[in-house]
Amino acid sequence: MAPSYKLTYFPARGRAECIRFLLSYGNLAFEDVRVPHEEWPALKAQAPFGFLPMLEHEGKKAHQSAAICRYLAKKVNLAGKDDWEDLEIDAALPLL
Ligand SMILES: N[C@@H](CCC(=O)N[C@@H](CS)C(=O)NCC(=O)O)C(=O)O
């Protein structure tokens, strides 16, 4: 069966690595698509905001690495236990 998550990014760690970590931590199988830079211009128009990373799941497309990480952190029980801990986690993120 095909993985239910598909992560698309460039052949780099960059803004996708935290997403890869969370998917792997949660044993959530995912297709790890790494678009060669020379192929990107032809695909850019299909990305929701014209940039990567993009996470696809059940026919939906998500963008913005921090938002994707928050979503996955909840899925794999790594989110804060309350709003204050969520704030502290967000504050620890680099500017994205
Ligand atoms: N705020 C976005 C920024 C995404 C972003 O800047 N992506 C860059 C790669 S790190 C990109 O897609 N560059 C190609 C382009 O803009 O055409 C996020 O965190 O996901």
Side-chain angles (χ1 to χ4, degrees):
M1 197 168 80
S4 71
Y5 288 97
K6 177 178 169 183
L7 174 64
T8 305
Y9 193 60
F10 301 105
R13 292 189 292 271
R15 292 174 197 261
E17 197 67 356
C18 55
I19 299 169
R20 296 187 187 111
F21 280 154
L22 285 163
L23 288 162
S24 300
Y25 175 88
N27 291 315
L28 299 170
F30 67 105
E31 192 181 346
D32 191 8
V33 178
R34 300 184 188 220
V35 178
H37 288 283
E38 60 273 18
E39 292 178 17
W40 172 238
L43 299 172
K44 188 173 168 78
Q46 296 165 34
F49 278 73
F51 50 67
L52 299 176
M54 174 172 67
L55 184 70
E56 295 174 70
H57 181 58
E58 297 180 343
K60 295 171 284 194
K61 291 181 180 178
H63 57 94
Q64 293 291 7
S65 54
I68 294 169
C69 284
R70 281 189 205 103
Y71 162 81
L72 289 173
K74 287 181 196 163
K75 286 252 172 237
V76 304
N77 296 318
L78 283 180
K81 69 176 183 312
D82 54 32
D83 289 343
W84 191 259
E85 274 196 5
D86 284 341
L87 182 157
E88 291 179 320
I89 291 166
D90 286 348
L93 291 173
L95 289 178
L96 295 176

